[in-house]
Amino acid sequence: MSLLRTTAAPRRPSTTRRVLAALASTALLAPVAGVALAAPASAHGGKDRIARLAGAGSASAGLIMSENIEQVGENPSQVAISGCFMDTAPVFVTSGVDSVRVYDVSDPLSPTLTGVLPQALFENEAMTCGERRTRDGVRRFALIGVDLVAAAPTDPQHVNVGGGELIVVDATDPTDPTITARAPGLTSTHTVACVDGVRCRYAYSAGGRGSFSVFDLRDLDAPTEVDGDRVADGLQPFTSPTGGHKWNFDAAGVGTHTGYEGASMWSTKKPGRPRLLTTTGAAGAGDDPAFEGWNDFILHNSFRPHRSGSSRTASRR
């Protein structure tokens, strides 16, 4: 794991914030860099930009690096596939093919490994850290999405081959990350995301082409999948007009679901019953000749900044 920081920007955030943000991105940087070079780029010169970045890569770091980033340190450890930060504590959690690891990042330039949970896992491409305020204090945890396989020596009776499962790893004690709950899902758990990380009561799965799962985490020790169709017999997932890969949620209570067919946007004011607002349409799907190349592979994730505190509060009700 390498530590990076920006070297030039019009507005400089604090050193701590810059390094913490870079630390989170580097958990994905190594495996994603190769995919980014092999996969088709977006329109408006995307292919040329990737080629320029590849040529400007740091040979010593072995990474593709833009001009305003510099490496400030290394922390050899697992090959992490994904990582996330807790909201109210300097705790960083990573997930890789061999383990879940917890770091103390009080000093962002010198992260300290505090706890390891051995676990063979693939792939959990996007980590989610969640928190829950209880009478005994803040409970902190990570949500692990089992994509294909998972096996932990601390939980040998629950070997998963086939995926479709959510695992809750309690990290309240950063020295002892522990699997505390599991929930099967009807759709792909390639990624799983909390609707609200500070009060993680519901989480959505990546899903697939046409559907996704909503997990009810109000009882964190016994999470369950929400029935997406109360009329049809049996448990049903939620239907979606876009193919699933990743959920990102903003402060206005809007969840953006990205994937193969572009993106769809959903109201999560009632997080257990998300409501479709709009989609990116034919342009986002990449199959309209008028918008060639706007999405010629997988729309992996999104970021929609929204600073309305009142909207965020409303989304939690």
Side-chain angles (χ1 to χ4, degrees), residues 108-176:
L109 294 178
S110 183
T112 302
L113 179 64
T114 59
V116 177
L117 168 65
Q119 178 174 242
L121 177 75
F122 193 82
E123 175 183 22
N124 192 40
E125 190 174 329
M127 282 283 287
T128 287
C129 286
E131 298 185 348
R132 181 74 54 78
R133 296 188 181 278
T134 71
R135 294 179 179 178
D136 299 323
V138 178
R139 185 174 178 182
R140 299 183 174 91
F141 53 93
L143 301 182
I144 307 294
V146 181
D147 193 6
L148 295 177
V149 62
T154 58
D155 197 14
Q157 68 272 27
H158 289 119
V159 175
N160 181 318
V161 178
E165 184 179 37
L166 167 70
I167 296 177
V168 179
V169 176
D170 194 293
T172 306
D173 179 355
T175 68
D176 186 28

